Amino acid sequence: MTTALHWLTEPGAPATVRAPELADAAAARDWLAAHQDELRAGLHKFGAVYLRGLPVHSVEDFALVRDELIPTATPYREKATPRSAYGSGVFSSTDLPAAQAIRPHNENSYTLTFPGLLLFGCLTAPEEGGATPVADCREVLRLLPTELVERMRAHGWVLTRNYSPTLSVDWQAAFAAESAQDVERYCAENLISCQWREEGHLHTGQVRPGIIRHPHTGDEVWFNHLAFWSEFSLDEDIREVLLEELGPDGLPFSTALGDGIALTAEDLAAVNDAYDRATVRRAWQPGDLMLVDNVLTAHARDPFRGDRRILVAMGDPVAVTDCAPTVAPAPAVLHG
């Protein structure tokens, strides 16, 4: 008879389950398989589940337990940040500098199909910092100003991007494309406007819903990269330099609400405050896993010191059209 899981819930930390002593990753896989229903119920309740004490010591171990928790992979589409690929659908969580905090976001909220589940795993824990905080997007939605929520509900949000090998990623890497025709075909199929500018630089825009419902629980959530890629989320000095050098239409990433009214720094401060108030975290230890419902929960990264090796895998693909979007996805109107 399988023993029921013991859930540790405490303020400021994600719901956590401590695994029993297990011999190896194959035993961990079997233990996870025996508790699949409980873990999925906990995931729907809490949005993220931290699993502590598992014998996961390598990429191969991680891939083995991943296949039990997330048997269907989701491709990494419209890449925006550098990652290392380790094979078998396993990636580094991010390769951005250690001193840089990564703001809360739902993975690939701007694509038409996105991962429903994320699995993070710790091979090497940093000396200091480096947690992967998570924020319940049901709570984020509840904490936001009503006027901002209603604007998002009625109009969605707009993402515009400029692709560059120096400031973000180039279009070849972002779209896994070899030719301009490949990019144009992808954009047409995925409701993205695209425009070629001087020297072959690519400019794109897309309208996406920022409030959706979970396809299984029906919970309504704040689901977008609006704050993540807003110019107001940049360090003020960096923002001024980029605007002076590139202009507002030349930033690597830019966001707005779909009503055409410019966002203010105060609007973005309200969003960031809601994320902060909904965020919980736990320091990584080697062997830890964290299973994240990517619709219910946003994730982030704290700055850190020392070596840090956190793996991620994505799967259980979800189509935005299955999430009762309040706004239909569409290409954005591009200027210039």
Side-chain angles (χ1 to χ4, degrees):
M1 180 177 178
T2 301
T3 303
L5 297 177
H6 173 68
W7 293 90
L8 173 63
T9 57
E10 53 188 342
T16 301
V17 173
R18 179 173 287 279
E21 187 171 339
L22 299 165
D24 52 26
R29 175 199 59 199
D30 295 342
W31 179 78
L32 292 168
H35 292 284
Q36 272 277 21
D37 291 344
E38 281 182 276
L39 289 171
R40 186 56 63 100
L43 195 62
H44 287 165
K45 180 178 179 180
F46 300 114
V49 175
Y50 213 95
L51 298 164
R52 172 142 284 175
L54 289 165
V56 176
H57 306 301
S58 66
V59 171
E60 292 74 22
D61 290 347
F62 179 81
L64 188 66
V65 297
R66 182 276 318 274
D67 288 346
E68 183 59 47
L69 293 170
I70 312 179
T72 305
T74 304
Y76 183 31
R77 299 182 176 93
E78 299 173 44
K79 296 177 183 177
T81 55
R83 297 182 191 269
S84 297
Y86 298 121
S88 301
V90 177
F91 300 88
S92 61
S93 57
T94 179
D95 293 337
L96 292 173
Q100 182 176 338
I102 300 175
R103 293 178 179 273
H105 60 286
N106 304 85
E107 198 68 37
N108 284 119
S109 74
Y110 46 90
T111 56
L112 298 185
T113 300
F114 41 79
L117 294 176
L118 309 175
L119 181 67
F120 294 91
C122 177
L123 298 188
T124 304
E127 296 174 27
E128 182 180 306
T132 302
V134 287
D136 189 322
C137 292
R138 295 165 290 194
E139 180 70 1
V140 173
L141 182 64
R142 188 186 70 79
L143 292 168
L144 285 166
T146 300
E147 181 183 0
L148 190 60
V149 169
E150 291 312 310
R151 288 174 65 192
M152 179 67 87
R153 195 187 303 280
H155 304 286
W157 66 293
V158 178
L159 169 65
T160 55
R161 293 181 63 177
N162 290 287
Y163 300 80
S164 162
T166 54
L167 290 176
S168 56
V169 296
D170 60 30
W171 57 262
Q172 292 92 338
F175 293 98
E178 297 182 358
S179 69
Q181 290 74 25
D182 291 339
V183 173
E184 291 165 5
R185 187 180 308 110
Y186 179 93
C187 289
E189 292 172 352
N190 289 274
L191 304 176
I192 302 171
S193 301
C194 65
Q195 185 181 88
W196 296 100
R197 294 184 164 179
E198 294 179 0
E199 300 179 2
H201 291 173
L202 177 66
H203 180 60
T204 65
Q206 55 223 79
V207 179
R208 297 294 184 256
I211 296 174
I212 62 174
R213 289 190 179 274
H214 192 280
H216 300 299
T217 71
D219 291 318
E220 193 172 45
V221 297
W222 181 260
F223 183 84
N224 55 74
H225 274 64
L226 181 73
F228 187 85
W229 278 325
S230 168
E231 64 176 82
F232 294 113
S233 290
L234 294 168
D235 177 86
E236 186 174 351
D237 292 338
I238 294 174
R239 175 174 170 266
E240 289 179 0
V241 169
L242 289 176
L243 286 172
E244 183 176 347
E245 293 291 326
L246 304 172
D249 196 39
L251 295 174
F253 303 95
S254 182
T255 64
L257 286 176
D259 57 11
I261 302 171
L263 286 171
T264 65
E266 290 73 21
D267 291 331
L268 269 296
V271 177
N272 287 328
D273 178 65
Y275 278 126
D276 288 345
R277 292 166 63 190
T279 291
V280 296
R281 57 174 51 77
R282 189 177 291 283
W284 285 113
Q285 293 181 8
D288 286 352
L289 299 179
M290 183 165 63
L291 186 62
V292 176
D293 187 305
N294 185 46
V295 178
L296 296 178
T297 305
H299 65 280
R301 189 197 72 180
D302 289 341
F304 64 93
R305 184 173 59 83
D307 291 338
R308 178 184 189 269
R309 196 178 186 203
I310 306 298
L311 306 178
V312 67
M314 300 175 274
D316 194 22
V318 175
V320 69
T321 51
D322 292 333
C323 297
T326 64
V327 172
V333 176
L334 298 178
H335 304 285

